[in-house]
Amino acid sequence: MSRPESQLPPNLYYNEQESVKYTNCNRIINIQTQLSERAIQLLDLDLDECSLVLDIGCGSGISGFYLTQEGVNWVGLDISESMLNVAQQEKTEGELLLCDIGQGFKFRPGVFDAAISISVIQWLCVSFKKSENPYKRCTAFFESLRNCLKNNARAVFQFYPENNEQINMITSAALRAGFSGDIVVDYPNSAKAKKLYLVLQLGGQSSKKTMDVIQGLIEESDEEKVKVIGRQQKKIRKQKKQKKISEKSKLWILKRKEKQTRLGRKVKKTTKYTGRKRNNLGLFK
């Protein structure tokens, strides 16, 4: 079976029909959720802090849903309008933006604490027009990412390179943009389970001109260990939260305001009336 990247541009490949099919496939949901879980572990966020994460190629919001479960605020970018429509229908909690990451993007400098991407950046290595240069698209992407991340922020990309040439193209563009990092390989001896994660760090001094390949999880049984750790972390966070933040409550509104402020948007001033339930004054029965 040919790879999706070799068939059509992503905005055409993930049309309305394919987007719905993708989102409703239990196998894909399970795989993407596991990849998201592993990527967030490699991200090593302090989940006790209020973080804002950029989800690159968020699609229909599968990875974003996992970020929300972890208590993380997020903003999602995707080139497929159909995928974003599905994400809106699924009522994802992230901010959704239509964007071709190969053309770059602009946010306030240092607005994001981290970035995550699942099964996306290999699309940058292929071109469907003579005017498109894959390496320039990779460079534009990583430079845009550098500008919107905080110093010392981390970014984790799970990706499916077709060959070593694509790996070299991606890592070279990342290094040129000022990142340092390595490639983590899970299950290196399994043709089916093998997964690659590009783990980048912004800031610091590094003279490395290439990235090392680091062995991650070795046996597929280690995946169970990852799940156990994840369940333990969730249990601890659940104990810390006395109750789930209800929609439209004062705390919910304050969190939304904080997120919008960090994105540089104007929000109404918080007062003693913020989040207060209004009395209908007897106008309705």
Side-chain angles (χ1 to χ4, degrees):
M1 183 181 295
S2 60
R3 297 163 59 96
E5 304 91 69
S6 64
Q7 298 179 43
L8 287 169
N11 56 318
L12 298 180
Y13 182 85
Y14 291 107
N15 55 28
E16 184 176 350
Q17 181 180 359
E18 187 66 27
S19 297
V20 173
K21 178 182 174 183
Y22 183 96
T23 308
N24 292 331
C25 177
N26 289 331
R27 184 182 67 84
I28 290 177
I29 292 173
N30 290 335
I31 292 173
Q32 295 297 92
T33 300
Q34 290 172 12
L35 295 175
S36 301
E37 184 174 4
R38 174 63 170 148
I40 290 172
Q41 288 177 356
L42 292 170
L43 208 55
D44 196 26
L45 278 176
D46 183 354
L47 296 174
D48 289 330
E49 297 292 330
C50 183
S51 300
L52 184 61
V53 173
L54 183 62
D55 186 356
I56 300 155
C58 63
S60 60
I62 297 174
S63 52
F65 179 76
Y66 188 81
L67 284 168
T68 299
Q69 285 187 315
E70 296 295 296
V72 177
N73 291 321
W74 58 280
V75 174
L77 305 179
D78 205 277
I79 195 174
S80 169
E81 189 172 1
S82 297
M83 277 290 201
L84 294 179
N85 288 338
V86 174
Q88 287 180 329
Q89 292 168 13
E90 295 290 324
K91 297 182 178 180
T92 56
E93 294 190 18
E95 185 98 10
L96 304 173
L97 301 172
L98 184 66
C99 175
D100 177 2
I101 61 172
Q103 293 184 359
F105 44 86
K106 290 184 178 181
F107 289 100
R108 290 174 59 197
V111 68
F112 292 106
D113 299 294
I116 187 176
S117 180
I118 305 298
S119 312
V120 172
I121 59 172
Q122 70 272 4
W123 286 90
L124 293 170
C125 299
V126 296
S127 60
F128 296 92
K129 300 177 183 178
K130 290 183 178 180
S131 59
E132 289 182 345
N133 182 307
Y135 183 73
K136 287 183 178 180
R137 285 173 60 77
C138 287
T139 301
F141 164 65
F142 283 113
E143 287 180 350
S144 297
L145 181 62
R146 176 199 64 204
N147 292 335
C148 69
L149 286 177
K150 288 183 177 179
N151 195 33
N152 294 320
R154 183 174 286 193
V156 176
F157 306 85
Q158 182 277 323
F159 67 122
Y160 294 107
E162 187 173 13
N163 48 47
N164 287 334
E165 183 179 349
Q166 290 189 356
I167 295 176
N168 293 335
M169 184 188 301
I170 290 170
T171 55
S172 174
L175 289 167
R176 182 179 179 181
F179 289 95
S180 59
D182 300 292
I183 296 175
V184 176
V185 183
D186 283 354
Y187 319 126
N189 301 319
S190 172
K192 184 178 180 180
K194 183 178 178 180
K195 296 292 184 296
L196 272 66
Y197 297 85
L198 177 63
V199 182
L200 300 179
Q201 187 89 22
L202 183 61
Q205 295 182 349
S206 176
S207 59
K208 290 170 58 176
K209 295 184 178 180
T210 59
M211 293 190 186
D212 296 329
V213 177
I214 299 176
Q215 187 171 266
L217 303 179
I218 303 173
E219 300 176 3
E220 291 188 51
S221 59
D222 288 343
E223 188 172 350
E224 292 301 319
K225 298 177 185 177
V226 172
K227 293 180 180 178
V228 169
I229 294 171
R231 286 195 293 267
Q232 290 173 343
Q233 291 175 341
K234 287 179 184 177
K235 185 177 180 181
I236 293 170
R237 286 191 296 276
K238 188 176 181 181
Q239 290 172 346
K240 289 182 178 181
K241 288 186 178 181
Q242 294 182 352
K243 60 180 181 178
K244 185 179 179 181
I245 300 174
S246 58
E247 190 171 342
K248 305 299 182 182
S249 67
K250 184 172 183 177
L251 186 56
W252 183 87
I253 292 171
L254 292 176
K255 287 193 70 175
R256 296 276 295 182
K257 280 188 172 185
E258 181 185 2
K259 179 179 175 182
Q260 295 299 321
T261 301
R262 291 189 63 176
L263 290 172
R265 294 171 184 165
K266 292 183 179 180
V267 297
K268 291 183 179 180
K269 186 178 179 181
T270 300
T271 69
K272 64 180 181 179
Y273 300 106
T274 300
R276 178 178 292 185
K277 292 185 178 180
R278 299 180 184 273
N279 193 325
N280 61 26
L281 300 178
L283 296 176
F284 303 98
K285 292 184 178 179

